[in-house]
Amino acid sequence: MERGPVVGAGLGARARIRALLGCLVKVLLWVASALLYFGSEQAARLLGSPCLRRLYHAWLAAVVIFGPLLQFHVNPRTIFASHGNFFNIKFVNSAWGWTCTFLGGFVLLVVFLATRRVAVTARHLSRLVVGAAVWRGAGRAFLLIEDLTGSCFEPLPQGLLLHELPDRRSCLAAGHQWRGYTVSSHTFLLTFCCLLMAEEAAVFAKYLAHGLPAGAPLRLVFLLNVLLLGLWNFLLLCTVIYFHQYTHKVVGAAVGTFAWYLTYGSWYHQPWSPGSPGHGLFPRPHSSRKHK
């Protein structure tokens, strides 16, 4: 007879705990949503500033030109000094794949939500196809430069012995080393990805200003792109500090900047191009004057 009140009290306590946990989850979701909206708004405002985008170009140039001087002030045994470190293998070597995945999702959502037109969305996504072609073409050009400027060497305990083998293939087949002028493909790719992502992400500020749909999924994808852009900047700094010769890094970054200028700075402004980021997405302001 005494178990009824005890069972009822236990059920009531469980109900209160469930209600408390439910309130806690709601509060955490509200806080996460508020941080998501605040962070995306501030990041969009930052990346959408034309002045800051110009300064960003200067920042990348300073990283590549003056960053190698930091090698005298950093620990040479840090994890980032190893070619086999996690970030170098999983991110730098696959930088274009990561960029295409994250940035492709962002461009897809922004363009389609703004226009609801598949053809326009495909046109804007074609900029990533052009970027992939630039990356592949630059990689082959760098290998060609190394082939044309290289020589075959055999490593010996006393040093290197020069061989007269004519090309890289026969040199490597003989078990020797081919050494030529090696443009830093990692510096090229990271520089190109940084400039490309900064240009594409800058559209989000105008997107928000026009009051277009900007739910949590889109904002989350945008912030993931911002985080990836920050990671590329950090890994570019690590690359210029720990790896490659100075001129190889500078040339790689210069080629990456030139590739950005040919595409985003020049060609994409032409009518026969994939179009610049944001082109055709937002309504033009109507003139208050009536043309007679």
Side-chain angles (χ1 to χ4, degrees):
M1 298 296 295
E2 297 179 355
R3 290 184 178 181
V6 175
V7 173
L11 293 176
R14 291 178 184 177
R16 287 193 295 270
I17 292 175
R18 284 197 297 267
L20 182 61
L21 291 177
C23 291
L24 181 60
V25 170
K26 290 181 180 180
V27 170
L28 291 177
L29 289 176
W30 181 86
V31 171
S33 178
L35 291 175
L36 177 64
Y37 275 71
F38 176 78
S40 59
E41 293 280 348
Q42 299 306 312
R45 186 177 304 173
L46 183 67
L47 292 174
S49 170
C51 178
L52 288 177
R53 287 210 305 276
R54 288 192 292 269
L55 291 176
Y56 184 63
H57 285 244
W59 153 257
L60 290 180
V63 166
V64 176
I65 295 174
F66 302 109
L69 298 176
L70 295 176
Q71 64 183 307
F72 304 108
H73 306 282
V74 296
N75 184 4
R77 296 183 179 180
T78 182
I79 184 176
F80 297 105
S82 170
H83 283 279
N85 73 74
F86 173 81
F87 290 96
N88 205 40
I89 294 176
K90 298 297 183 180
F91 288 96
V92 177
N93 291 341
S94 305
W96 184 250
W98 286 104
T99 300
C100 275
T101 301
F102 281 72
L103 194 58
F106 173 72
V107 173
L108 174 65
L109 289 174
V110 165
V111 178
F112 187 76
L113 290 175
T115 64
R116 303 291 178 175
R117 296 169 62 185
V118 176
V120 176
T121 304
R123 181 185 179 186
H124 281 269
L125 285 173
S126 66
R127 288 194 298 271
L128 296 179
V129 178
V130 174
V134 169
W135 163 230
R136 296 292 295 178
R140 297 197 176 193
F142 296 160
L143 288 176
L144 179 61
I145 292 173
E146 187 177 1
D147 288 343
L148 294 176
T149 60
S151 299
C152 186
F153 295 90
E154 179 183 359
L156 298 174
Q158 298 81 7
L160 295 175
L161 177 63
L162 177 63
H163 283 267
E164 296 298 330
L165 295 176
D167 53 38
R168 178 206 294 266
R169 180 177 299 180
S170 58
C171 177
L172 297 180
H176 304 324
Q177 296 179 359
W178 184 267
R179 296 192 175 187
Y181 189 86
T182 308
V183 179
S184 174
S185 59
H186 285 173
T187 306
F188 162 82
L189 181 58
L190 290 173
T191 301
F192 185 60
C193 287
C194 285
L195 293 172
L196 181 147
M197 294 191 72
E199 197 73 22
E200 295 283 355
V203 175
F204 198 53
K206 188 177 292 186
Y207 181 93
L208 294 176
H210 280 79
L212 294 170
L218 175 57
R219 291 175 181 269
L220 179 60
V221 171
F222 170 70
L223 285 182
L224 288 176
N225 277 273
V226 174
L227 292 176
L228 186 62
L229 177 59
L231 179 63
W232 289 162
N233 279 265
F234 174 72
L235 293 179
L236 176 62
L237 180 61
C238 292
T239 299
V240 300
I241 291 176
Y242 294 112
F243 308 121
H244 310 293
Q245 297 183 20
Y246 183 77
T247 60
H248 300 178
K249 294 177 282 196
V250 173
V251 172
V255 175
T257 304
F258 185 63
W260 172 89
Y261 175 78
L262 287 180
T263 52
Y264 285 84
S266 179
W267 180 37
Y268 290 166
H269 296 283
Q270 305 300 322
W272 39 272
S273 72
S276 59
H279 176 72
L281 303 187
F282 313 113
R284 296 180 180 180
H286 298 287
S287 176
S288 59
R289 297 181 180 179
K290 295 183 179 179
H291 298 282
K292 296 182 180 180

